[in-house]
Amino acid sequence: DAGVTQSPTHLIKTRGQQVTLRCSPKSGHDTVSWYQQALGQGPQFIFQYYEEEERQRGNFPDRFSGHQFPNYSSELNVNALLLGDSALYLCASSLDNSYEQYFGPGTRLTVT
Amino acid sequence: AQSVTQLDSQVPVFEEAPVELRCNYSSSVSVYLFWYVQYPNQGLQLLLKYLSGSTLVESINGFEAEFNKSQTSFHLRKPSVHISDTAEYFCAVSDQMDSNYQLIWGAGTKLIIKP
């Protein structure tokens, strides 16, 4: 079982650019959640996808959007990047109606 | 709104000494409580959880945490730490009424083991 995988591992972008991060959930999981973890802070919930729809959203602007594919994998898109978007982006997968989330290793995004 | 406070950003402790990492949450509504561990350059791993029942929960590697409803706390303890316990520990809370199990996180505590 591969667990949750994320790509790329690291990414450097310039202010104003757009970025796409990818996540493959643990085998058998159908729900994907995305978190932003700034340096020295705990993860902040961005949104959750289930059945290819955004089911719940945290306090993030519309520049943050996502998608879930029929195979349950997911993408996180961030438009018009700001310096403050620099963070570790974590993907977590779970079964619907389950408390237990499995996390990927994250994508480290640096905006310059 | 629910919030989680981990009072200590870093806890240095000598190897084989006991340790307590503190976690308090704000709301007294019924909650699920979790401790996650993040080893250097790795993702978050679930360490232990409280869902219901016994207020003392244990992990397979010697950690335990006790749910205290009156103090809205879920402190993590280990009687004797090892160098391999060096990591950052995060406390997280989920409202039992939230069917999506959204997690609210503390800022984390770095456990630093001194030889």
Side-chain angles (χ1 to χ4, degrees):
Chain A
D1 183 2
V4 181
T5 59
Q6 292 185 244
S7 63
T9 305
H10 295 88
L11 203 52
I12 300 175
K13 289 287 188 178
T14 305
R15 266 184 307 176
Q17 286 187 316
Q18 177 265 343
V19 68
T20 297
L21 311 182
R22 296 176 176 82
C23 171
S24 291
K26 182 179 170 65
S27 178
H29 285 184
D30 55 9
T31 303
V32 173
S33 301
W34 286 93
Y35 294 85
Q36 180 193 67
Q37 186 180 11
L39 202 60
Q41 297 183 24
Q44 299 289 317
F45 175 75
I46 303 175
F47 42 53
Q48 184 182 82
Y49 275 85
Y50 173 70
E51 291 190 340
E52 302 180 51
E53 290 192 2
E54 182 183 294
R55 178 161 69 175
Q56 193 173 27
R57 189 179 183 92
N59 189 25
F60 279 80
D62 292 344
R63 297 187 297 109
F64 289 77
S65 63
H67 190 77
Q68 186 179 34
F69 298 94
N71 67 352
Y72 307 118
S73 67
S74 177
E75 289 182 349
L76 164 65
N77 301 293
V78 187
N79 294 324
L81 284 167
L82 304 173
L83 294 179
D85 295 331
S86 295
L88 180 68
Y89 288 85
L90 296 166
C91 168
S93 74
S94 59
L95 286 168
D96 184 35
N97 292 324
S98 170
Y99 61 85
E100 190 156 359
Q101 298 187 24
Y102 290 78
F103 284 81
T107 294
R108 174 74 62 188
L109 172 64
T110 302
V111 182
T112 61
Chain B
Q2 183 71 262
S3 66
V4 178
T5 301
Q6 291 182 247
L7 289 169
D8 305 302
S9 60
Q10 292 188 56
V11 173
V13 62
F14 286 105
E15 197 170 12
E16 298 184 6
V19 69
E20 180 180 77
L21 307 182
R22 294 178 292 171
C23 172
N24 288 88
Y25 59 97
S26 60
S27 173
S28 60
V29 299
S30 296
V31 294
Y32 299 126
L33 296 157
F34 306 86
W35 277 100
Y36 280 80
V37 58
Q38 188 173 33
Y39 296 103
N41 301 314
Q42 294 187 29
L44 291 155
Q45 301 174 32
L46 180 63
L47 185 61
L48 47 74
K49 59 187 181 289
Y50 169 79
L51 304 179
S52 65
S54 173
T55 58
L56 185 66
V57 292
E58 299 176 353
S59 73
I60 60 173
N61 57 353
F63 283 94
E64 64 178 30
E66 186 160 19
F67 167 53
N68 187 319
K69 187 174 182 178
S70 62
Q71 297 188 4
T72 60
S73 68
F74 190 54
H75 300 332
L76 181 70
R77 296 188 292 261
K78 189 170 185 180
S80 176
V81 296
H82 301 283
I83 198 77
S84 59
D85 294 324
T86 299
E88 190 157 16
Y89 293 79
F90 291 91
C91 180
V93 173
S94 176
D95 185 343
Q96 287 190 18
M97 298 304 293
D98 180 358
S99 59
N100 296 329
Y101 298 102
Q102 180 183 336
L103 294 172
I104 308 300
W105 298 79
T109 298
K110 289 184 180 176
L111 180 58
I112 301 168
I113 310 298
K114 299 185 288 185

